[in-house]
Amino acid sequence: MTNEKGFTLIEMLIVLLIISVLLILTIPNITKNNTMIRDKGCEALVLTADAQVQAYFLDNGSYPASLNELVSEGYLKQDTCPDGNSLRYDSASGKVTSPADEPQS
């Protein structure tokens, strides 16, 4: 019993306190940036969908009737942003926009 090695209860409590403080500092930053990450994901999806509309136009000679047609033909995997909003599409001009691009009323 003279050569017992290990951590005391006080040492373990100090380590848990340090880990708790680090979590308290980092979690609010992660949740604050979550909205920005979703917006950037939607912007990237708009650019991808716009490029795929042009690729469809080059392949078929006309714009698709809807974004669902791009999904069913395999040009896109999804037509909704990471925040759940659907992309807007104008079949006359072939322009794709996000719901955030529309003016607020």
Side-chain angles (χ1 to χ4, degrees), residues 2 8-9 12-13 15-16 25 36 38 43 46 51 60 66-67 76 87 90 95:
T2 59
T8 65
L9 180 62
M12 293 298 288
L13 288 174
V15 168
L16 288 174
L25 292 175
M36 182 187 68
R38 284 190 186 144
E43 289 174 20
V46 167
N60 299 303
S66 68
L67 290 178
L76 282 177
L87 296 177
D90 180 18
K95 187 70 178 159

Side-chain angles (χ1 to χ4, degrees), residues 19-67:
I19 292 172
S20 299
V21 168
L22 290 174
L23 287 174
I24 289 171
L25 292 175
T26 58
I27 288 177
N29 289 333
I30 292 171
T31 57
K32 181 174 44 173
N33 292 330
N34 198 16
T35 304
M36 182 187 68
I37 292 168
R38 284 190 186 144
D39 291 343
K40 294 293 181 185
C42 195
E43 289 174 20
L45 182 60
V46 167
L47 292 174
T48 301
D50 202 31
Q52 293 304 333
V53 166
Q54 298 306 317
Y56 183 94
F57 181 80
L58 290 173
D59 290 344
N60 299 303
S62 64
Y63 290 118
S66 68
L67 290 178

